[in-house]
Structure formats: structure tokens, C-alpha cells
Amino acid sequence: QVNKIVALPNGYIPEDLVEISKEVKATQRICLKREALNSLKTMFADAKKENINLAVTSAFRSQQVQSQLYKALFALKGEKAKDRIAVPLHSEHQLGTTVDLSGESIDFISASDKFMGTVEDVWLQTNAYKYGFVISYPKGKTKITGYDHEPWHYRYLGTEVAKEIFN
């Protein structure tokens, strides 16, 4: 577990990271833990059968990349950035089990509020748990999660835990 209070060890890099762009649609070179990728592949394939075209726009981030992203957003938004992005060692992306998703309906734009309410977003809200993925920062839960609603941000927890959370 990692959140605003619980940090990962300095320099943490998860084991079993694999590059995913040859196996699922990704907008850049992205890595993810193998177990999460296997479920993601099945989810993407099943979505495609329903004409839902998804892409991963971000997944594993190193401590250094998270630091750069945090600094850039902080420079733009000031203190409000703390509700949108985790400081290094506190990001779910550093676990290797978290993905930012987007869809064809918004031209696979990354981390955009435009994703909310799209056909891809609605499909994920209904189906992602079946593949072990849950939305980390649901609407109306900022006081609990510490972060603003991010309809694109999903974390792999396995099907049993995801189903329990969904229910």
C-alpha cells in the first residue's frame, strides 16, 4: 500500500516489470508488472469486442520521473497540485500495478477530465473489476483518498479484492 502518508522505500523498483506496448495499445514506452499486464490484455481484448478501444497512457513511473512530473505540475498549479499528483515515493504508479487509461473517443489524451463520461469510462466503471482493476480516486471520495477524482487512474488488485471493492 502507498498513499499520501505511507511511502515506498527510497529507490523502490518493483520486480517483474515488463514493457507492454507490444501486447496492448500504449501511447508511449510503458512498463507494468506481468500479472497486471496479463489481466489488462484480457480486459482490452474484451472491451474491443464491444467496440471499446482503450490505451494505456502511463503506468510504472520511477521515483525520478514522478519527481519531475510533480515539480512540473506544482509549478503550474501551486499547492493545488498536491490534490492531483503524488510526491515521489507516495505514488501508486511506482508500484508497477497502476495504469492511466484513455480511449479512442478522446483521441487517447492522457490524464484528462475529458475522459469522464466517455463510452470507455462507462465501460471501465462497469467492467474493470472483473479483470482485477479498481478506480483509485472515485468521484466524491477526495476526503478519503486525498486526491481529486481521476476517472482514468486504475490500480490492479486482483479479481477477488476488486470484486469486493466494487460490491
Side-chain angles (χ1 to χ4, degrees):
Q1 177 180 346
V2 64
N3 55 41
K4 282 190 171 184
I5 299 163
V6 178
L8 293 165
N10 193 29
Y12 176 79
I13 296 178
E15 294 179 12
D16 199 25
L17 285 175
V18 291
E19 207 276 317
I20 71 169
S21 64
K22 291 181 180 164
E23 302 194 47
V24 295
K25 182 169 180 57
T27 59
Q28 58 183 313
R29 188 170 184 265
I30 296 173
C31 293
L32 197 62
K33 289 187 74 143
R34 170 57 67 189
E35 181 183 4
L37 174 58
N38 290 340
S39 290
L40 188 72
K41 282 171 48 176
T42 304
M43 183 169 77
F44 273 35
D46 289 352
K48 193 163 190 68
K49 290 174 190 171
E50 297 182 43
N51 293 316
I52 302 295
N53 295 302
L54 299 165
V56 179
T57 63
S58 183
F60 170 73
R61 295 181 193 151
S62 68
Q63 182 175 342
Q64 293 77 16
V65 168
Q66 188 67 25
S67 179
Q68 291 167 349
L69 292 171
Y70 180 81
K71 287 175 185 174
L73 193 61
F74 195 86
L76 283 173
K77 296 189 177 258
E79 290 294 318
K80 289 182 180 182
K82 292 180 179 180
D83 293 333
R84 276 300 227 193
I85 190 167
V87 297
L89 300 177
H90 291 266
S91 172
E92 287 188 350
H93 282 284
Q94 290 178 253
L95 296 169
T97 55
T98 298
V99 290
D100 286 347
L101 301 173
S102 189
E104 184 176 48
S105 69
I106 60 165
D107 295 323
F108 304 110
I109 297 170
S110 180
S112 171
D113 287 334
K114 291 179 181 180
F115 188 66
M116 190 173 6
T118 63
V119 294
E120 298 91 352
D121 175 33
V122 171
W123 189 91
L124 286 165
Q125 287 179 48
T126 306
N127 295 288
Y129 79 93
K130 299 171 189 173
Y131 306 90
F133 287 89
V134 296
I135 189 166
S136 293
Y137 310 121
K139 191 171 189 156
K141 302 293 183 184
T142 301
K143 287 183 180 179
I144 296 168
T145 66
Y147 294 100
D148 291 341
H149 173 54
E150 292 187 355
W152 58 83
H153 184 107
Y154 280 79
R155 180 166 168 203
Y156 178 76
L157 297 173
T159 54
E160 285 183 34
V161 173
K163 184 177 181 181
E164 189 175 318
I165 290 170
F166 180 81
N167 289 334

